[in-house]
Amino acid sequence: DAKTTQPPSMDCAEGRAANLPCNHSTISGNEYVYWYRQIHSQGPQYIIHGLKNNETNEMASLIITEDRKSSTLILPHATLRDTAVYYCIVSQRAGSYQLTFGKGTKLSVIP
Amino acid sequence: GAVVSQHPSRVICKSGTSVKIECRSLDFQATTMFWYRQFPKQSLMLMATSNEGSKATYEQGVEKDKFLINHASLTLSTLTVTSAHPEDSSFYICSAGGQSGYGYTFGSGTRLTVV
């Protein structure tokens, strides 16, 4: 799996958009970008994934650059419950492929 | 959506005893499940890949005789920590799923404390 680079921590004001960057410059053509988050002492939660097009779901938006070397996860209106560690992972299409977790970004949403 | 149930959520055991952790896929069949371990303030580290009906594949440095994995059905994988020591105290998490390319679902984790 390609490696990813994320800032160790970020702060965001409650109600504002949280933009979490991720660099994955060695991503292969058949690898997807997955985002998960882990709230303290819980299992990781799937957020969103994409290959090359931008994606949006009820939780977040994923913006992938045209060269696919970086991406940004956007939480449009952050709440206190969004405080968590966010992991950006590149992997082949889910199924039997393991996910390798990096250190992630600790997002703190501030009242 | 896919649901993975992990049990127990917390367990305290004495050194030298064995502990079994269960991971169940509730609404789908999982031929492959993954077991992770997470120490405080660290990221998840993959321990092993559990394959239904065959032997598990362990990551380098993980003792297969200490961490026994059984995946006897398409909905259940178990991790048994044998002869537990205090250094085995950790947060153990399983995952499964990935149907149709969607993300894996993770269990809620098991906090193991060996005293």
Side-chain angles (χ1 to χ4, degrees):
Chain A
D1 290 345
K3 293 184 177 180
T4 62
T5 303
Q6 298 178 252
S9 64
M10 293 181 63
D11 291 339
C12 177
E14 187 178 17
R16 303 299 290 267
N19 295 277
L20 291 87
C22 178
N23 287 320
H24 32 79
S25 58
T26 59
I27 191 170
S28 299
N30 62 348
E31 288 183 316
Y32 289 71
V33 180
Y34 287 88
W35 282 84
Y36 287 80
R37 71 181 182 184
Q38 186 178 26
I39 297 171
H40 184 62
S41 294
Q42 296 183 24
Q45 176 189 22
Y46 166 82
I47 301 173
I48 198 168
H49 78 285
L51 183 62
K52 53 184 176 181
N53 297 323
N54 297 337
E55 302 287 346
T56 295
N57 63 19
E58 65 278 5
M59 290 184 67
S61 295
L62 173 61
I63 308 298
I64 302 174
T65 58
E66 192 170 344
D67 62 7
R68 303 212 319 128
K69 293 185 176 181
S70 65
S71 61
T72 301
L73 178 74
I74 302 173
L75 307 178
H77 306 286
T79 70
L80 298 180
R81 289 178 295 179
D82 292 322
T83 291
V85 178
Y86 287 76
Y87 296 99
C88 168
I89 302 168
V90 293
S91 176
Q92 296 185 45
R93 193 174 178 85
S96 298
Y97 296 103
Q98 65 197 47
L99 296 178
T100 301
F101 286 78
K103 296 183 178 180
T105 295
K106 174 65 190 301
L107 175 69
S108 298
V109 180
I110 302 169
Chain B
V3 178
V4 173
S5 174
Q6 189 172 340
H7 180 79
S9 58
R10 289 179 178 270
V11 58
I12 300 173
C13 71
K14 292 184 178 181
S15 290
T17 62
S18 296
V19 173
K20 179 184 286 188
I21 302 170
E22 293 187 346
C23 180
R24 294 181 184 274
S25 56
L26 297 187
D27 50 0
F28 65 98
Q29 294 182 331
T31 56
T32 302
M33 292 186 177
F34 300 96
W35 287 95
Y36 293 83
R37 178 168 55 180
Q38 185 176 33
F39 292 108
K41 299 189 185 300
Q42 295 186 22
S43 188
L44 284 77
M45 294 295 294
L46 181 68
M47 298 177 65
T49 302
S50 171
N51 302 297
E52 188 270 335
S54 64
K55 291 183 178 180
T57 303
Y58 291 82
E59 295 300 301
Q60 189 173 8
V62 178
E63 301 174 59
K64 61 181 181 181
D65 294 331
K66 181 171 183 61
F67 298 99
L68 301 179
I69 291 174
N70 184 283
H71 194 156
S73 78
L74 288 172
T75 59
L76 174 63
S77 175
T78 60
L79 169 67
T80 301
V81 183
T82 64
S83 187
H85 289 188
E87 56 264 33
D88 298 325
S89 297
S90 188
F91 192 52
Y92 292 86
I93 309 167
C94 68
S95 74
Q99 275 70 18
S100 302
Y102 289 96
Y104 287 100
T105 301
F106 286 79
S108 55
T110 297
R111 176 76 57 191
L112 170 64
T113 302
V114 184
V115 298

